[in-house]
């Protein structure tokens, strides 16, 4: 009985556990079903929200988005719109008893992304998606064309680049040699006064490093050109003569000072003697005057007494005695008067002589000051001479280091030439024997630099160092203006003359060319073209009516900033020709293997395809849009159609210029008259690389005009061979000066469509689109979409109020919904 009770208890427990499990299962199923329903309801509400997408945006540009009304806060408005639908679908409805609808959901939108957020991520991803199943074969074929240059064109490109680098390397050597000539000889070999005409002008500066101690007659044998020698003869100042003159004048001045000092001593001595005599004579005259006055009084007294005696008839003896006394006194007075006259004349003569000596003393004092002034002038002249020596020491030093640089540049140029010859050898079978022969002939002219006749650089350095050493100890000798200082300076100046006489020009004999490597001819080319460009480059290339539309930049997603386009024809061209080919090689893409292309690259390709599909260009136009030339805006980013089209035309012209330059540079037949013109322009050239620079510039002018004709033809809708070659040219060399709009348009209309790898306007647009920064393309495309919809849909439309993705929270779980 007890056993039966235990079994009963056991089964009761099992039943209770199973019943609890069944109840838990039903509760869990109820919860799961409710959560699933809530998620479905939220998704349905979100889809319902995006069902009111902006139809004009999708119809024209295949972009989904929900426009939020102006004035509404985007996140709160989105949350309110979707949350209302979620609440409606999760409440218990009248008459229904399902456990699934007993409680509502906790729902909230956490973020609402608009098209302009995260650098237009939504617009970009939707544009890529829109094109993934549209026009893939056409896209592949277009991209393949960019890598389709022939093997021969590629070979010529590499050879021309290596050859250009060789020309540039030796031209740099020439430039430094010309500067070395200016340093050593003081001769500036200036450029032609006019493009393709005029005569070079040579003039002398103040260097004279080579001929510093050479007399003009002796220098004549060492100048290579008469005009240079004439300039030297006119400006030469022999330092030996300068030192002789300074020494002789210093010695003469010292002698004159000695003579003046002797005269001063004699003058002072005589002046002292005369003044002593005058000092003795003056008291004598005074004493005589007193004696004479006393004698006059005595005479008067005697005469009065004698008169009285005579009137009184006094004694004869008394009268005779007084008469004798009066006569004796008169005789004494007369004697004193004579003595006084003699003393006065002697005094006058002493005073005259004293005055004369005083005047002589003043003259000697003036002469002393003049001699001191002459001494200072001599010291100044010597100081100028010493400064001149210091300057020449510095020039010797500069020339020494310049010679070292030239030697280094020569070594580098030889290596570059060797590399060029290796490249030429590697492509020998591709370019053919005739082309290889032409290249070899061009390279052979640089054999001149193997020997460098007239340029013994090691001897130059040795001579420059010795001359610098000889000039180093030359110092100022005249340090005072007295006789002793001048006499001491004379011996020092003579020692310096001996030192200067050892100055040498051995090994400094240089060759002269008639042109410098300055930029005049290049500037002439620039001005020849730029004056037409300045007057309207675009109008120069097309006769079509150009759109005058201008973009309203007030509300653009890009936050429009107008910047001057730094891209121009001349920015790709410089005297370093290798830079041109490097730029071109950067522009040409590598062969594309689509089996191994990453998703990111494919997305970029799809995005480019989207831009080409949805936006107009110059050839088709868009009469209803904010701009007519939309693809041009995507590339150039200016606010007017005219500026955008002009920028594209200049870019096409720049690329065509480079391609034509390669074609001309590698064509010996068309290059020959250019080389002849270069020789005629330069005269007799002492440095071969200078001719290469002139040839380069003339070929550039030719290539640029060919490119302008091509650009005009491309704007007419023609497709031209990517690499023009000999058959792709429109001009002969003698026609390059026929530069006018009518001439270019006539030749452009005569252009024939290319057969083979040919590019038209659309291919060049894609080419430039690929080179345009990704962010610029995205924002500019958004600019056009917004402004076009503002014109055709509603003026209030803004891309930054167009929601394309939301994130929401439901029952403490995060969800995201987006159109991609």
């Amino acid at each position: 009985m007890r056993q039966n009770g235990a079994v009963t208890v056991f089964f009761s427990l099992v039943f209770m556990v199973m019943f609890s499990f069944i109840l838990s299962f039903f509760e869990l199923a109820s919860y799961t079903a409710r959560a699933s329903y809530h998620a479905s309801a939220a998704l349905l509400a979100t889809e319902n929200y995006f069902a009111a997408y902006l139809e004009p945006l999708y119809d024209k540009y295949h972009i989904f988005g929900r426009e939020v009304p102006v004035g509404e806060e985007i996140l709160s408005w989105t949350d309110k719109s979707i949350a209302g639908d979620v609440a409606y679908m999760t409440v218990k409805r009248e008459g229904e008893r399902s456990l699934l609808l007993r409680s509502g959901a906790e729902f909230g939108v956490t973020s609402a992304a608009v098209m302009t957020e995260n650098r237009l991520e939504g617009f970009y991803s939707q544009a890529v998606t829109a094109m993934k199943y549209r026009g893939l074969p056409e896209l592949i074929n277009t991209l393949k064309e960019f890598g389709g240059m022939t093997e021969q064109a590629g070979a010529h490109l590499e050879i021309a680049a290596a050859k250009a680098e060789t020309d540039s390397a030796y031209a740099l050597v020439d430039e430094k040699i010309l500067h070395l000539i200016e340093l050593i000889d003081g001769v500036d070999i200036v450029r032609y006064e006019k493009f393709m005409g005029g005569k070079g002008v040579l003039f002398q500066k103040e260097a004279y490093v080579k001929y510093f101690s050479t007399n003009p007659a002796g220098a004549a044998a060492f100048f290579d050109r008469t005009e240079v020698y004439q300039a030297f003869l006119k400006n030469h100042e022999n330092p030996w003569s300068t030192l002789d003159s300074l020494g002789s004048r210093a010695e003469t001045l010292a002698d004159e000072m000695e003579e003046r000092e002797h005269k001063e001593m004699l003058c002072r001595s005589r002046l002292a003697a005369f003044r002593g005599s005058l000092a003795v004579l003056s008291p004598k005259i005074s004493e005589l005057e007193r004696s004479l006055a006393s004698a006059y009084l005595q005479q008067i007294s005697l005469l009065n007494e004698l008169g009285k005696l005579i009137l009184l008839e006094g004694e004869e003896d008394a009268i005779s005695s007084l008469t004798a006394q009066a006569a004796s006194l008169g005789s004494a007075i007369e004697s004193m008067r004579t003595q006084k006259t003699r003393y006065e004349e002697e005094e006058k003569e002493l005073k005259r002589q004293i005055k004369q000596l005083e005047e002589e003393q003043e003259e000697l004092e003036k002469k002393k000051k003049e001699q001191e002034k002459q001494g200072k002038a001599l010291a100044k002249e010597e100081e100028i001479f010493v400064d001149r020596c210091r300057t020449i020491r510095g020039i010797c030093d500069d020339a020494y280091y310049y010679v070292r640089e030239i030697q280094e540049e020569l070594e580098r140029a030889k290596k570059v030439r060797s590399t060029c010859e290796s490249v030429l050898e590697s492509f020998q079978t591709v370019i053919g024997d005739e082309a290889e022969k032409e290249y070899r002939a061009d390279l052979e002219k640089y054999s001149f630099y193997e020997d460098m006749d007239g340029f013994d650089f090691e001897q130059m350095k040795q001579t420059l160092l010795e001359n610098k050493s000889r000039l180093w100890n030359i110092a100022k000798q005249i340090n005072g203006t007295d006789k002793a200082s001048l006499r001491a300076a004379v011996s020092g100046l003579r020692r310096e003359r001996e030192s200067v006489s050892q100055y040498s020009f051995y090994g400094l004999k240089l060759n002269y060319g008639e042109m410098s490597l300055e930029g005049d001819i290049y500037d002439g080319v620039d001005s020849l073209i730029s004056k037409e460009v300045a007057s309207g480059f675009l109008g120069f290339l097309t006769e079509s009516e150009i759109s005058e539309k201008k973009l309203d930049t007030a509300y653009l997603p890009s936050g429009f900033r107008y910047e001057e386009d730094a891209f121009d024809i001349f920015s790709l061209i410089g005297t370093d020709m290798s830079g041109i080919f490097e730029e071109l090689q950067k522009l040409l893409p590598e062969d594309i293997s689509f089996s191994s292309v990453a998703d990111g690259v494919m997305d970029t390709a799809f995005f480019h395809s989207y831009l080409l599909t949805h936006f107009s260009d110059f050839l088709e136009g868009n009469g209803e849009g904010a701009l007519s030339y939309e693809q041009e805006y995507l590339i150039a980013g200016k606010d007017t159609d005219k500026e955008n089209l002009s920028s594209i035309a200049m870019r096409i012209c720049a690329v065509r210029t480079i391609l034509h330059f390669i074609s001309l540079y590698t064509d010996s037949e068309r290059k020959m008259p250019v080389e002849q013109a270069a020789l005629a322009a330069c005269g007799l050239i002492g440095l071969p690389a200078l001719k290469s620079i002139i040839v380069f510039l003339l070929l550039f002018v030719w290539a640029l005009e060919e490119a302008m004709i091509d650009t005009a033809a491309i704007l007419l809708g023609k497709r031209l061979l990517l690499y023009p070659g000999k058959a792709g040219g429109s001009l002969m060399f003698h026609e390059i000066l026929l530069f006018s709009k009518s001439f270019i348009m006539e030749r452009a209309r005569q252009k024939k469509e290319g057969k083979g790898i040919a590019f038209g306007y659309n291919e060049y647009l894609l080419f430039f689109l690929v080179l345009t920064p990704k962010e610029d393309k995205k924002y500019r495309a958004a600019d056009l979409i917004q402004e076009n919809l503002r014109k055709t849909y509603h003026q209030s439309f803004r891309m930054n109020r167009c929601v394309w993705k939301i994130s929401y929270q439901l029952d403490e779980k995060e969800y995201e919904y987006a159109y991609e």
Side-chain angles (χ1 to χ4, degrees), residues 157-158 160-162 164-165 572 576-588 658 662:
L157 177 63
E158 288 198 38
E165 188 175 359
L572 293 180
D576 183 359
M577 291 165 49
S578 61
I580 299 173
F581 302 105
E582 290 173 3
E583 291 297 327
L584 183 60
Q585 287 174 320
K586 292 178 184 177
L587 297 180
L588 296 174
I658 296 170
I662 297 170

Side-chain angles (χ1 to χ4, degrees), residues 145-149 153-154 157 581-591 655 659 662 722 759 767 771:
E145 288 184 355
F146 283 100
M149 289 191 71
L157 177 63
F581 302 105
E582 290 173 3
E583 291 297 327
L584 183 60
Q585 287 174 320
K586 292 178 184 177
L587 297 180
L588 296 174
E590 302 291 337
D591 292 336
V655 173
L659 295 171
I662 297 170
L722 178 60
F759 271 27
F767 184 76
L771 299 178

